[in-house]
Amino acid sequence: MENKRIIDVLHGVLFQISTVKIQKVSDFYEGIDFIDVSTLKHEVVKEEKLVLDWILENPNINYAEIYEEELDNHELIRYIKIYLENLDYKNKQFELGNYILSKNDFLI
Amino acid sequence: MIFTEAGTSNELYKIFYYMPISMLAKLDTDYLWGFLDRQIAGFIDNWRIQKEDVAVTLLRTLAVKLSPRAFLEALKKPRSGTKSKPRLYLLVDKLDGYNFTAYVNIVWEAWRNTNYSKLNPAVNHAMDVSGNAPALLPYKSNEMIGFHHDNASVDLNKSHTKIDVEVDLEVPGIIKKASFSRLGKLTITEEKGIVRETENYSYDPFAPLVIINEINPHFIFKDQSGGAGEFTILPAFVLFAREEGAFWSNSALAAEYAVDLLTTFTGIGSILKAGRIFKLLKSGKSILFMSKNATTATGYALKSKGIIEITSGVGNTLLKLTGANKTEAGKAVSEYLFYLELLSMGGELTEAFQRVLKNAAYKAAKSSDEIIEILEKTDDAVKKYTDDLTRLGKLQDAALNLSIDTYYALIHLWETAGIIVRNFEQFTDQVKLALMEFNIQIFDVLTRDIDEFFNILFPRYSLSMDGALEKVIIYNDEVLFAGTKKQFNEFAKKVNEAAKKGRGELKKLVDDTWKYFDIMPASQKAYKKSRSLEKTYATGAKVDFEKKVKYLNKVERKEYEIFIQRDKVIDKNGNLFNTKNCKSIDKSGATITSNKAIFVMSETGEIFISKLDEFGVFHHSSFLSGEKIAAAGEIIIEEGIIKYVNNKSGHYMPLIDNVKDNLLLELYQRDYFVGGFNIKEEIIFKSEF
């Protein structure tokens, strides 16, 4: 996998995120009103899924070196797993036509 | 503490109550007037905090801060944004007792230092040379104590700021006498004599008056700096002020005389005199008001009872505290208090009352030895709290070696000391004063060092992604260091550690700053780092990405600037700012709606907020085109009130202290009360760009 692709995807995945706070999918919906997925860019989602799956298959690479920032590999892998779970959830809801997602969806 | 706990008006009163004037004077003038305006808009209660004292303290502060002329002019204005009576008169209505006296003296003192006090119409336009407001006002008083006029009535014309005075004059004139002869013929004879005339005058409240009183030159409001002259020059306003208080003369002044008798003998007066008498006066005032409204006797007796319950507290608590309520002296004092209360119920000092009051005072005075003993016991009670005071003293010593912890400890201490004063009203005024002075000493320490304190502990450092280097400017913009973010964070940790140890350590650290950084120009290491990043950019992803990000120019960024007005955040159109329905679009195109907006603060203190941020299009870096900032993060604002702030900015990655120090200081300097919102640290794994 090219470093450029890894950097690009990691950048989007970690955008304005406090990863330590994300322990389960519903944590992505904490402290916000709702997320509108009607404008989801499928090509971006597809690329993210591809690269992140590859990272999960290659957990021993030092991603901090590639990304040029202080990353804890273990923490990154943990976070990516939950991120992918959320990505699948968003895709599924999109297909079902449920575009507005909120914390309430996880209450049951 | 002040900055992080939710602020209530009572907390503000608490802060202002114990804050010395030197500290208060650092607040903005409009803010101080605004606070005072809010206070005088309604009834100034003294529940928990002596809010009248706060009003007087604010007045003292403003009198110190402003030029005397500006202070007086502001007093002549109505409450800001209203068409109320002038502040000058509202304060007369709202302040009582010693606060009232203090208020008049503050105004008088300021007045004395302006042209208003000059008896020269060429420089003093408040003087009316038309004869409608003569400077020499014949004024009489037959009072033995106090300044009371028998021949004039003063009124405030509410449509303007003038004071109307009606004076009865006895002037030399011609007296006409009519007589009839036995034949019924009318004969009018004229002879020289004294005739009574009524004159109506209208004064500017600050017009100078010369008061002559041949009978009693010892006015309560005698001009202290005027020496023992035969006349007093005072602002016309004082006439009105005294008119308000003139009613007290019958009962209250006589009562005060009696109290003086007691207090002179025993020294117990601080409580009785300052506390009881003025509350008594207030009772009297209420009774007068009610009688004017033809309230039934039962009605006002019941109402008075309420007042008495309040007023009986101070003296009797003292007696109970010392166990003196069972002694002869204690009983005498109790009896005396009882008559005073009875007096306040009746509202008049009859002959009978005078007699019993004097008897009671005499009895109490006779037991002066015992009363002194009571006072000693009071001192014992005070000693009970000396442990606290010793603790406070130790902390005060620690203040000489200031650190962040000590600073907060002092704030806590300040509040604690305040609580002690507040909860022990039965202490003598001397004890209260000692505690107050102690607080002031603490604040003097803080005030004296405050500039240095901020310079050392809270350097206005700034970070910027200038190429691969983060720059950090430390110590008053004088020394420039550069290094990586990691180096900077390491240094910041050391600063925090040193701050806990004391100022000496901190100074040493600041002196050794160079050890933690690569001094400009970039060292080999930093250069390597920059080359490495350049290489990464060259591979494409970040370079392409960065090209899309919107960078605002100086005109465009004005759209996002916010301002502070009357303690509220407003946008450029003057509307209260809200962060409801803020949108954040992530890389996958999903739109997140929340109540958090992104903000940055420039090095020069401008604050910009956007309710929309979009991955790759609009970020924190957009506001200032990637230039240096003083603070950045997310913010929640409801109806102009800041509720929450964090340091979440991937681009700048500011430390939470960075946001706290710089943003809070900026808001504070703009008179925004920074105690009402949460500040939270957000740790971001990886940055946005």
Side-chain angles (χ1 to χ4, degrees):
Chain A
M1 180 72 71
E2 288 173 38
N3 283 359
K4 174 183 172 300
R5 282 179 76 185
I6 295 170
I7 291 167
D8 206 13
V9 165
L10 282 184
H11 187 63
V13 165
L14 297 167
F15 175 65
Q16 284 286 74
I17 284 287
S18 304
T19 56
V20 285
K21 283 189 178 173
I22 306 294
Q23 299 296 328
K24 53 188 183 300
V25 174
S26 62
D27 291 341
F28 280 106
Y29 301 83
E30 199 68 58
I32 61 167
D33 295 342
F34 57 86
I35 296 180
D36 178 1
V37 292
S38 64
T39 50
L40 215 56
K41 295 174 186 167
H42 292 282
E43 68 283 10
V44 176
V45 173
K46 196 178 163 189
E47 171 69 3
E48 278 187 354
K49 207 167 157 34
L50 207 146
V51 173
L52 294 178
D53 279 340
W54 186 87
I55 291 176
L56 291 185
E57 284 163 17
N58 298 278
N60 296 325
I61 294 173
N62 184 0
Y63 292 98
E65 235 172 56
I66 297 171
Y67 198 50
E68 288 285 346
E69 286 290 339
E70 291 175 21
L71 286 183
D72 177 331
N73 248 27
H74 180 72
E75 169 69 4
L76 181 70
I77 301 290
R78 183 196 68 76
Y79 169 72
I80 286 176
K81 283 179 186 167
I82 306 168
Y83 185 90
L84 279 171
E85 210 182 314
N86 185 38
L87 208 59
D88 288 342
Y89 175 73
K90 284 198 283 189
N91 257 334
K92 189 181 169 190
Q93 296 305 315
F94 178 85
E95 283 161 14
L96 291 171
N98 299 332
Y99 298 132
I100 304 299
L101 313 179
S102 75
K103 172 87 176 164
N104 293 341
D105 303 336
F106 297 88
L107 291 180
I108 302 167
Chain B
M1 307 273 178
I2 304 171
F3 297 143
T4 52
E5 285 179 3
T8 64
S9 63
N10 259 336
E11 274 182 66
L12 263 180
Y13 275 115
K14 191 167 72 181
I15 289 167
F16 286 175
Y17 185 58
Y18 297 110
M19 192 180 267
I21 287 172
S22 55
M23 286 284 280
L24 276 171
K26 285 177 185 288
L27 300 176
D28 184 79
T29 306
D30 288 342
Y31 180 78
L32 292 171
W33 278 122
F35 193 89
L36 193 66
D37 281 347
R38 284 197 290 277
Q39 229 188 324
I40 58 179
F43 171 69
I44 303 179
D45 69 82
N46 284 329
W47 185 72
R48 300 186 73 171
I49 288 285
Q50 295 287 322
K51 290 177 185 160
E52 282 189 17
D53 289 2
V54 173
V56 170
T57 305
L58 289 176
L59 283 166
R60 277 193 214 286
T61 308
L62 285 160
V64 169
K65 198 172 158 73
L66 298 171
S67 71
R69 179 81 189 202
F71 175 64
L72 295 184
E73 293 305 330
L75 276 175
K76 278 165 94 173
K77 288 182 184 163
R79 291 192 301 112
S80 38
T82 70
K83 291 178 180 173
S84 71
K85 281 158 74 171
R87 288 166 174 149
L88 188 72
Y89 302 137
L90 284 171
L91 281 159
V92 170
D93 291 345
K94 310 289 176 183
L95 298 175
D96 289 304
Y98 60 93
N99 283 315
F100 173 75
T101 311
Y103 163 56
V104 173
N105 282 323
I106 291 167
V107 176
W108 197 345
E109 179 61 32
W111 175 87
R112 198 179 285 124
N113 293 313
T114 64
N115 277 354
Y116 275 134
S117 64
K118 303 263 171 29
L119 286 168
N120 179 0
V123 295
N124 188 353
H125 302 297
M127 288 189 78
D128 186 344
V129 291
S130 68
N132 191 34
L136 191 64
L137 184 71
Y139 211 66
K140 281 186 183 175
S141 174
N142 294 317
E143 289 296 309
M144 291 306 290
I145 297 173
F147 175 53
H148 174 66
H149 45 82
D150 293 336
N151 66 328
S153 66
V154 186
D155 195 16
L156 172 70
N157 187 332
K158 286 175 187 172
S159 65
H160 57 78
T161 55
K162 298 274 179 164
I163 294 169
D164 295 332
V165 182
E166 187 182 291
V167 186
D168 287 333
L169 302 175
E170 289 177 347
V171 293
I174 304 296
I175 302 169
K176 290 182 179 179
K177 286 186 177 174
S179 59
F180 291 92
S181 67
R182 274 183 293 175
L183 297 172
K185 187 185 175 189
L186 173 67
T187 309
I188 296 175
T189 55
E190 293 181 353
E191 58 184 60
K192 287 182 181 175
I194 301 296
V195 294
R196 290 181 73 86
E197 286 180 5
T198 301
E199 290 283 342
N200 290 294
Y201 305 134
S202 183
Y203 288 92
D204 183 289
F206 297 130
L209 289 181
V210 181
I211 304 294
I212 297 176
N213 190 325
E214 293 170 358
I215 303 169
N216 172 28
H218 302 291
F219 308 127
I220 278 183
F221 286 127
K222 186 167 170 53
D223 188 344
Q224 296 297 323
S225 67
E230 289 178 351
F231 58 86
T232 299
I233 302 175
L234 45 71
F237 152 71
V238 176
L239 281 186
F240 175 70
R242 286 307 303 158
E243 175 68 15
E244 284 289 294
F247 137 79
W248 301 338
S249 61
N250 275 341
S251 59
L253 290 176
E256 187 179 32
Y257 178 71
V259 170
D260 270 346
L261 179 72
L262 174 68
T263 57
T264 309
F265 275 97
T266 63
I268 204 171
S270 45
I271 297 168
L272 294 173
K273 199 172 177 184
R276 301 236 358 115
I277 276 302
F278 288 112
K279 281 177 179 169
L280 176 72
L281 297 182
K282 278 185 186 174
S283 313
K285 205 174 175 185
S286 307
I287 291 162
L288 180 79
F289 175 75
M290 284 184 286
S291 62
K292 270 183 181 171
N293 286 283
T295 317
T296 62
T298 320
Y300 84 70
L302 283 172
K303 193 79 183 274
S304 305
K305 193 169 172 285
I307 298 163
I308 289 160
E309 276 170 7
I310 299 165
T311 57
S312 64
V314 180
N316 287 329
T317 310
L318 170 70
L319 295 173
K320 279 178 193 164
L321 181 81
T322 57
N325 52 339
K326 290 171 190 166
T327 66
E328 281 304 311
K331 281 176 189 168
V333 173
S334 272
E335 189 183 334
Y336 182 75
L337 291 175
F338 170 76
Y339 285 122
L340 278 181
E341 280 163 6
L342 218 56
L343 172 65
S344 74
M345 272 183 92
E348 269 181 44
L349 184 69
T350 59
E351 278 297 318
F353 259 118
Q354 277 196 39
R355 199 168 49 250
V356 292
L357 204 57
K358 279 183 182 171
N359 282 343
Y362 175 70
K363 232 191 250 169
K366 224 169 62 171
S367 320
S368 60
D369 288 347
E370 286 179 51
I371 289 175
I372 288 165
E373 207 176 304
I374 293 173
L375 281 177
E376 280 168 3
K377 283 182 184 169
T378 311
D379 287 343
D380 287 341
V382 172
K383 275 177 193 164
K384 190 179 154 195
Y385 303 99
T386 48
D387 284 348
D388 281 334
L389 294 176
T390 311
R391 186 170 58 81
L392 304 185
K394 278 178 187 165
L395 278 166
Q396 191 192 5
D397 289 342
L400 298 173
N401 194 15
L402 276 175
S403 69
I404 290 175
D405 283 355
T406 318
Y407 173 74
Y408 284 128
L410 281 171
I411 297 288
H412 177 66
L413 160 71
W414 168 40
E415 287 177 352
T416 313
I419 289 162
I420 291 174
V421 176
R422 205 175 58 225
N423 287 347
F424 295 94
E425 286 183 0
Q426 68 272 31
F427 283 179
T428 62
D429 280 0
Q430 284 79 4
V431 174
K432 285 185 193 174
L433 272 176
L435 283 166
M436 286 294 288
E437 273 172 22
F438 182 74
N439 274 310
I440 289 165
Q441 278 173 22
I442 293 167
F443 264 89
D444 278 350
V445 171
L446 288 176
T447 311
R448 193 174 59 237
D449 288 337
I450 203 125
D451 291 337
E452 197 183 352
F453 181 75
F454 275 114
N455 275 340
I456 295 176
L457 292 190
F458 304 122
R460 294 196 63 161
Y461 51 74
S462 56
L463 299 176
S464 106
M465 291 291 286
D466 184 13
L469 283 173
E470 294 89 12
K471 287 177 187 167
V472 54
I473 301 166
I474 292 183
Y475 215 12
N476 241 2
D477 290 2
E478 283 172 10
V479 188
L480 177 71
F481 295 97
T484 62
K485 217 173 277 181
K486 195 177 170 188
Q487 283 172 304
F488 175 76
N489 286 338
E490 263 177 28
F491 178 71
K493 269 184 203 166
K494 294 277 179 191
V495 169
N496 282 330
E497 282 168 20
K500 283 175 190 167
K501 288 179 188 166
R503 199 165 48 174
E505 281 289 314
L506 206 57
K507 270 186 172 168
K508 199 177 156 199
L509 183 72
V510 171
D511 291 339
D512 289 343
T513 306
W514 62 273
K515 288 182 183 171
Y516 296 89
F517 291 93
D518 306 307
I519 300 168
M520 289 286 278
S523 70
Q524 190 68 18
K525 192 179 166 191
Y527 178 73
K528 259 189 187 171
K529 177 84 174 167
S530 73
R531 293 299 301 166
S532 160
L533 280 175
E534 272 178 23
K535 200 176 167 186
T536 310
Y537 291 147
T539 58
K542 289 185 181 177
V543 173
D544 291 345
F545 168 70
E546 282 213 316
K547 278 180 184 170
K548 292 181 200 166
V549 175
K550 171 81 176 163
Y551 276 2
L552 302 173
N553 63 32
K554 282 182 184 173
V555 178
E556 287 170 329
R557 75 181 59 142
K558 288 283 172 198
E559 290 292 315
Y560 297 89
E561 189 167 1
I562 57 98
F563 306 90
I564 304 295
Q565 190 182 67
R566 293 177 194 277
D567 234 1
K568 296 275 170 66
V569 180
I570 56 165
D571 63 19
K572 72 179 182 64
N573 298 319
N575 302 318
L576 290 182
F577 204 89
N578 272 300
T579 55
K580 276 181 191 165
N581 296 325
C582 291
K583 308 283 182 196
S584 177
I585 303 171
D586 70 15
K587 193 182 178 186
S588 70
T591 307
I592 301 156
T593 302
S594 73
N595 58 351
K596 285 180 193 157
I598 60 170
F599 82 93
V600 303
M601 188 178 99
S602 73
E603 278 196 310
T604 48
E606 298 148 306
I607 301 169
F608 302 97
I609 302 181
S610 172
K611 295 180 188 176
L612 172 70
D613 66 281
E614 185 175 357
F615 183 87
V617 179
F618 198 100
H619 297 290
H620 282 103
S621 55
S622 299
F623 295 106
L624 294 166
S625 306
E627 287 179 7
K628 297 172 193 172
I629 50 107
E634 292 176 331
I635 193 164
I636 298 176
I637 302 175
E638 291 172 13
E639 296 297 325
I641 296 168
I642 301 173
K643 297 286 183 182
Y644 169 93
V645 173
N646 69 28
N647 61 327
K648 200 169 169 184
S649 164
H651 180 94
Y652 293 108
M653 296 186 79
L655 300 176
I656 191 64
D657 288 345
N658 190 208
V659 174
K660 271 185 193 170
D661 304 339
N662 295 344
L663 178 69
L664 292 197
L665 188 61
E666 180 62 31
L667 290 170
Y668 179 75
Q669 282 173 349
R670 291 206 214 170
D671 283 344
Y672 185 88
F673 178 61
V674 291
F677 55 87
N678 293 320
I679 302 169
K680 200 169 178 187
E681 180 166 20
E682 289 282 349
I683 302 159
I684 299 175
F685 204 6
K686 173 58 194 131
S687 64
E688 55 169 297
F689 280 87

